[in-house]
Amino acid sequence: MKTVICIGMAGSGKTTFMQRLNSHLNASKHRPYVINLDPAVLKIPFGANIDIRDSIKYKKVMENYGLGPNGAIVTSLNLFSTKLDQVIKLVENKRDKFEHCIIDTPGQIECFIWSASGAIITESFASTFPTVIAYIVDTPRNSSPTTFMSNMLYACSILYKTKLPMIVVFNKTDVTKADFAKEWMTDFEAFQEALKVDQELNGELGNSSGYLGSLVNSMSLMLEEFYSQLDTVGVSSHTGEGFDEFLKAVDNKVEEYENYYKTERDRILAERAAKEQARKESSLEGLMKDLGIKDQNKRDTSTKNDDEAEVVSDVEEGEDDGLVLRDEDEDLEREYTFAGDERTTGTINDNYPDLQRKYEEDLSKTAKSASSQTAENIARYLRK
């Protein structure tokens, strides 16, 4: 299943684009699986298989948490992302019936792209399905070189934030054709000429004069490499023009995802797992060193004394075998103590010096054995 996440500035025609894309796929007998992630929208012009508004009430979030519009959108996405594993399972169950999954996001682009929940949502879909970002651009509003450059810088930041294949979709081509934008992205001199004309028209008080004009000029040089990684498509959500070209671009980006992005993601995950394993082994080695024991696989058992008594019960029977006979003197004080104890009376210790010594040795050996066994259990747990 190919996943398309539609992202765009407020007013770029993103929801209308979703409606036209849904209609176009239905007309071509490829009904998509539709997900709406905008909790603040009052009405959507398409049927959604999964709608965030069914589980999150935007106005209730504002009232309960005392938030404004943007804060409520972020909180709604955070609440929804806690159940994202269930959403992924629902989509996975339908991957044999649907070829495309299209996702609409909030118009407040920063609430989705730069929030933790937005990163969780994009990462979850990208790790399960081939995922493409469709960045919707309002073409009439980008006829100015400075505005166009601002939009491209935002597209660049989204690309490096999501690390997913991106298609720049110039919407509303029925109002203004996107030929000028495509030319600016492929021909540096054409953009320089347009910037110069814009400076002359606006004069010294214009938005493109002075420092800003110099900055835009420098940025156009920097973004030349960025443009080479993008596919650009001009569409009209009003007339349906360009949507066949958009679907072809999606297929190209899915192939790019499989060949490059997925491989890179797998490499990063493998490196992360290797670092985590190395960290665990380092922590285990430090723990065993602190406890004064060796690794169980490296322990040398050949030097162990066979006659060494592990516990008191391992002492061979014989003289002074640890059995204390009842004293004939009933008034004899029977306090089993060790040397150095303030309560020591000396009665038992003085009469049975060998027994006293065995108690101390056996107790010390038992404590060491218990400590060693505890350390081995901890090490075995950490290896898991």
Side-chain angles (χ1 to χ4, degrees), residues 334-365:
R334 293 183 174 278
E335 190 167 7
Y336 292 84
T337 58
F338 297 107
D341 196 325
E342 295 178 355
R343 301 174 302 163
T344 302
T345 62
T347 305
I348 299 300
N349 294 338
D350 294 340
N351 294 337
Y352 300 95
D354 293 337
L355 177 61
Q356 171 66 26
R357 177 178 53 79
K358 282 190 174 293
Y359 275 150
E360 292 179 356
E361 292 178 356
D362 292 340
L363 181 61
S364 176
K365 294 173 182 176

Short mmCIF file of all heavy atoms in Angstrom, two decimals, residues 334-365:
data_model
loop_
_atom_site.label_atom_id
_atom_site.label_comp_id
_atom_site.label_asym_id
_atom_site.label_seq_id
_atom_site.Cartn_x
_atom_site.Cartn_y
_atom_site.Cartn_z
N ARG A 334 24.59 -19.74 76.60
CA ARG A 334 24.73 -20.29 75.24
C ARG A 334 24.48 -19.17 74.21
O ARG A 334 23.48 -19.20 73.52
CB ARG A 334 23.76 -21.43 75.01
CG ARG A 334 24.06 -22.65 75.85
CD ARG A 334 23.12 -23.78 75.52
NE ARG A 334 23.50 -24.96 76.21
CZ ARG A 334 24.45 -25.79 75.81
NH1 ARG A 334 25.09 -25.55 74.71
NH2 ARG A 334 24.75 -26.86 76.52
N GLU A 335 25.35 -18.29 74.11
CA GLU A 335 25.21 -17.23 73.11
C GLU A 335 26.27 -17.45 72.04
O GLU A 335 27.45 -17.29 72.29
CB GLU A 335 25.39 -15.86 73.74
CG GLU A 335 25.00 -14.73 72.80
CD GLU A 335 24.89 -13.42 73.56
OE1 GLU A 335 25.25 -13.42 74.74
OE2 GLU A 335 24.45 -12.44 72.96
N TYR A 336 25.84 -17.87 70.83
CA TYR A 336 26.77 -18.21 69.74
C TYR A 336 27.20 -16.90 69.08
O TYR A 336 26.47 -16.32 68.28
CB TYR A 336 26.09 -19.14 68.72
CG TYR A 336 25.82 -20.50 69.28
CD1 TYR A 336 24.67 -20.74 70.02
CD2 TYR A 336 26.74 -21.52 69.11
CE1 TYR A 336 24.43 -22.00 70.56
CE2 TYR A 336 26.51 -22.78 69.65
CZ TYR A 336 25.34 -23.01 70.37
OH TYR A 336 25.12 -24.25 70.90
N THR A 337 28.36 -16.46 69.46
CA THR A 337 28.85 -15.16 68.97
C THR A 337 30.21 -15.34 68.35
O THR A 337 30.82 -16.40 68.43
CB THR A 337 28.94 -14.15 70.14
OG1 THR A 337 29.81 -14.70 71.14
CG2 THR A 337 27.57 -13.90 70.74
N PHE A 338 30.68 -14.22 67.71
CA PHE A 338 31.97 -14.24 67.05
C PHE A 338 32.90 -13.24 67.70
O PHE A 338 32.48 -12.34 68.42
CB PHE A 338 31.82 -13.91 65.55
CG PHE A 338 31.01 -14.92 64.83
CD1 PHE A 338 29.72 -14.63 64.41
CD2 PHE A 338 31.53 -16.18 64.58
CE1 PHE A 338 28.98 -15.58 63.76
CE2 PHE A 338 30.78 -17.13 63.92
CZ PHE A 338 29.50 -16.83 63.51
N ALA A 339 34.15 -13.40 67.42
CA ALA A 339 35.14 -12.51 68.01
C ALA A 339 34.88 -11.07 67.60
O ALA A 339 34.55 -10.79 66.45
CB ALA A 339 36.55 -12.93 67.59
N GLY A 340 35.03 -10.18 68.56
CA GLY A 340 34.83 -8.78 68.27
C GLY A 340 33.42 -8.31 68.58
O GLY A 340 33.13 -7.13 68.52
N ASP A 341 32.48 -9.25 68.82
CA ASP A 341 31.10 -8.89 69.16
C ASP A 341 31.07 -8.40 70.59
O ASP A 341 31.63 -9.00 71.49
CB ASP A 341 30.19 -10.12 68.98
CG ASP A 341 28.72 -9.70 68.94
OD1 ASP A 341 28.38 -8.76 69.65
OD2 ASP A 341 27.98 -10.35 68.18
N GLU A 342 30.37 -7.27 70.80
CA GLU A 342 30.32 -6.71 72.15
C GLU A 342 29.60 -7.63 73.12
O GLU A 342 29.79 -7.56 74.32
CB GLU A 342 29.63 -5.35 72.09
CG GLU A 342 30.42 -4.31 71.29
CD GLU A 342 29.68 -3.00 71.24
OE1 GLU A 342 28.55 -2.96 71.74
OE2 GLU A 342 30.25 -2.02 70.69
N ARG A 343 28.74 -8.53 72.58
CA ARG A 343 27.98 -9.43 73.45
C ARG A 343 28.74 -10.69 73.80
O ARG A 343 28.25 -11.55 74.50
CB ARG A 343 26.66 -9.83 72.76
CG ARG A 343 25.76 -8.64 72.41
CD ARG A 343 24.59 -9.12 71.61
NE ARG A 343 25.05 -9.79 70.39
CZ ARG A 343 24.27 -10.60 69.67
NH1 ARG A 343 23.07 -10.86 70.04
NH2 ARG A 343 24.76 -11.17 68.57
N THR A 344 29.95 -10.85 73.26
CA THR A 344 30.71 -12.09 73.46
C THR A 344 30.99 -12.33 74.94
O THR A 344 31.51 -11.46 75.64
CB THR A 344 32.04 -12.03 72.71
OG1 THR A 344 31.76 -11.81 71.33
CG2 THR A 344 32.81 -13.31 72.87
N THR A 345 30.63 -13.52 75.40
CA THR A 345 30.91 -13.90 76.79
C THR A 345 32.15 -14.76 76.90
O THR A 345 32.73 -14.90 77.96
CB THR A 345 29.73 -14.68 77.38
OG1 THR A 345 29.56 -15.87 76.63
CG2 THR A 345 28.45 -13.86 77.30
N GLY A 346 32.54 -15.37 75.75
CA GLY A 346 33.73 -16.21 75.75
C GLY A 346 33.46 -17.63 76.16
O GLY A 346 34.35 -18.46 76.10
N THR A 347 32.22 -17.95 76.55
CA THR A 347 31.93 -19.30 77.05
C THR A 347 32.10 -20.32 75.94
O THR A 347 32.88 -21.26 76.05
CB THR A 347 30.50 -19.36 77.61
OG1 THR A 347 30.37 -18.35 78.59
CG2 THR A 347 30.23 -20.71 78.20
N ILE A 348 31.35 -20.16 74.84
CA ILE A 348 31.42 -21.13 73.75
C ILE A 348 32.71 -20.95 72.96
O ILE A 348 33.37 -21.92 72.59
CB ILE A 348 30.21 -20.97 72.81
CG1 ILE A 348 28.91 -21.24 73.60
CG2 ILE A 348 30.32 -21.94 71.65
CD1 ILE A 348 28.83 -22.61 74.19
N ASN A 349 33.09 -19.70 72.72
CA ASN A 349 34.28 -19.46 71.91
C ASN A 349 35.54 -20.01 72.56
O ASN A 349 36.43 -20.52 71.90
CB ASN A 349 34.46 -17.96 71.68
CG ASN A 349 33.33 -17.41 70.84
OD1 ASN A 349 32.69 -18.17 70.13
ND2 ASN A 349 33.07 -16.12 70.94
N ASP A 350 35.62 -19.89 73.86
CA ASP A 350 36.82 -20.37 74.54
C ASP A 350 36.88 -21.89 74.62
O ASP A 350 37.94 -22.49 74.52
CB ASP A 350 36.90 -19.78 75.95
CG ASP A 350 37.08 -18.27 75.90
OD1 ASP A 350 37.53 -17.76 74.84
OD2 ASP A 350 36.77 -17.61 76.90
N ASN A 351 35.71 -22.50 74.77
CA ASN A 351 35.68 -23.95 74.91
C ASN A 351 35.85 -24.65 73.56
O ASN A 351 36.35 -25.77 73.50
CB ASN A 351 34.37 -24.40 75.55
CG ASN A 351 34.27 -23.91 77.01
OD1 ASN A 351 35.30 -23.64 77.63
ND2 ASN A 351 33.06 -23.81 77.52
N TYR A 352 35.41 -24.03 72.47
CA TYR A 352 35.47 -24.68 71.15
C TYR A 352 36.11 -23.70 70.14
O TYR A 352 35.43 -23.13 69.29
CB TYR A 352 34.05 -25.05 70.68
CG TYR A 352 33.36 -26.03 71.60
CD1 TYR A 352 32.50 -25.55 72.58
CD2 TYR A 352 33.57 -27.39 71.46
CE1 TYR A 352 31.86 -26.44 73.44
CE2 TYR A 352 32.92 -28.29 72.32
CZ TYR A 352 32.07 -27.82 73.31
OH TYR A 352 31.45 -28.68 74.14
N PRO A 353 37.40 -23.51 70.23
CA PRO A 353 38.05 -22.56 69.31
C PRO A 353 37.96 -23.00 67.85
O PRO A 353 37.82 -22.17 66.96
CB PRO A 353 39.49 -22.52 69.81
CG PRO A 353 39.68 -23.83 70.53
CD PRO A 353 38.37 -24.16 71.16
N ASP A 354 38.06 -24.34 67.58
CA ASP A 354 37.96 -24.80 66.19
C ASP A 354 36.58 -24.55 65.61
O ASP A 354 36.43 -24.20 64.44
CB ASP A 354 38.30 -26.29 66.11
CG ASP A 354 39.77 -26.55 66.44
OD1 ASP A 354 40.57 -25.59 66.28
OD2 ASP A 354 40.10 -27.68 66.83
N LEU A 355 35.57 -24.77 66.43
CA LEU A 355 34.21 -24.53 65.96
C LEU A 355 34.01 -23.05 65.64
O LEU A 355 33.38 -22.68 64.63
CB LEU A 355 33.21 -24.97 67.05
CG LEU A 355 31.72 -24.71 66.72
CD1 LEU A 355 31.31 -25.47 65.47
CD2 LEU A 355 30.85 -25.10 67.91
N GLN A 356 34.55 -22.21 66.50
CA GLN A 356 34.47 -20.76 66.25
C GLN A 356 35.10 -20.40 64.89
O GLN A 356 34.55 -19.64 64.11
CB GLN A 356 35.18 -20.01 67.38
CG GLN A 356 35.35 -18.51 67.13
CD GLN A 356 34.04 -17.78 67.10
OE1 GLN A 356 33.07 -18.25 67.71
NE2 GLN A 356 33.98 -16.69 66.35
N ARG A 357 36.26 -20.96 64.62
CA ARG A 357 36.94 -20.68 63.37
C ARG A 357 36.14 -21.18 62.17
O ARG A 357 36.02 -20.50 61.15
CB ARG A 357 38.33 -21.34 63.39
CG ARG A 357 39.12 -21.17 62.08
CD ARG A 357 40.49 -21.80 62.21
NE ARG A 357 40.42 -23.18 62.64
CZ ARG A 357 40.11 -24.20 61.81
NH1 ARG A 357 39.86 -23.96 60.55
NH2 ARG A 357 40.08 -25.44 62.27
N LYS A 358 35.55 -22.39 62.28
CA LYS A 358 34.75 -22.92 61.16
C LYS A 358 33.52 -22.07 60.91
O LYS A 358 33.10 -21.87 59.77
CB LYS A 358 34.35 -24.38 61.46
CG LYS A 358 35.48 -25.37 61.22
CD LYS A 358 34.95 -26.79 61.31
CE LYS A 358 36.04 -27.78 60.93
NZ LYS A 358 36.38 -27.64 59.49
N TYR A 359 32.88 -21.60 61.98
CA TYR A 359 31.73 -20.73 61.79
C TYR A 359 32.11 -19.50 60.96
O TYR A 359 31.42 -19.12 60.02
CB TYR A 359 31.17 -20.28 63.14
CG TYR A 359 30.20 -21.27 63.77
CD1 TYR A 359 30.09 -21.35 65.16
CD2 TYR A 359 29.41 -22.09 62.98
CE1 TYR A 359 29.22 -22.26 65.75
CE2 TYR A 359 28.54 -22.99 63.55
CZ TYR A 359 28.43 -23.08 64.94
OH TYR A 359 27.58 -23.96 65.49
N GLU A 360 33.21 -18.88 61.32
CA GLU A 360 33.61 -17.67 60.63
C GLU A 360 33.99 -17.95 59.18
O GLU A 360 33.59 -17.22 58.26
CB GLU A 360 34.81 -17.04 61.36
CG GLU A 360 34.45 -16.49 62.73
CD GLU A 360 35.67 -15.88 63.42
OE1 GLU A 360 36.77 -15.96 62.86
OE2 GLU A 360 35.48 -15.34 64.50
N GLU A 361 34.74 -19.03 58.94
CA GLU A 361 35.14 -19.35 57.57
C GLU A 361 33.94 -19.72 56.70
O GLU A 361 33.81 -19.26 55.57
CB GLU A 361 36.15 -20.50 57.59
CG GLU A 361 37.50 -20.12 58.20
CD GLU A 361 38.44 -21.31 58.24
OE1 GLU A 361 37.99 -22.42 57.87
OE2 GLU A 361 39.62 -21.14 58.61
N ASP A 362 33.08 -20.60 57.25
CA ASP A 362 31.92 -21.05 56.46
C ASP A 362 30.96 -19.91 56.19
O ASP A 362 30.37 -19.82 55.11
CB ASP A 362 31.19 -22.18 57.20
CG ASP A 362 32.04 -23.45 57.27
OD1 ASP A 362 32.96 -23.57 56.43
OD2 ASP A 362 31.78 -24.32 58.12
N LEU A 363 30.77 -19.03 57.14
CA LEU A 363 29.88 -17.90 56.92
C LEU A 363 30.44 -16.99 55.83
O LEU A 363 29.70 -16.50 54.96
CB LEU A 363 29.70 -17.11 58.22
CG LEU A 363 28.77 -15.90 58.12
CD1 LEU A 363 27.36 -16.33 57.73
CD2 LEU A 363 28.74 -15.13 59.43
N SER A 364 31.75 -16.77 55.84
CA SER A 364 32.37 -15.92 54.83
C SER A 364 32.24 -16.55 53.44
O SER A 364 31.91 -15.88 52.47
CB SER A 364 33.84 -15.72 55.17
OG SER A 364 34.49 -14.98 54.15
N LYS A 365 32.47 -17.89 53.36
CA LYS A 365 32.35 -18.57 52.06
C LYS A 365 30.91 -18.54 51.55
O LYS A 365 30.65 -18.37 50.36
CB LYS A 365 32.84 -20.01 52.18
CG LYS A 365 34.34 -20.11 52.47
CD LYS A 365 34.75 -21.54 52.74
CE LYS A 365 36.24 -21.65 53.08
NZ LYS A 365 36.62 -23.02 53.43
#
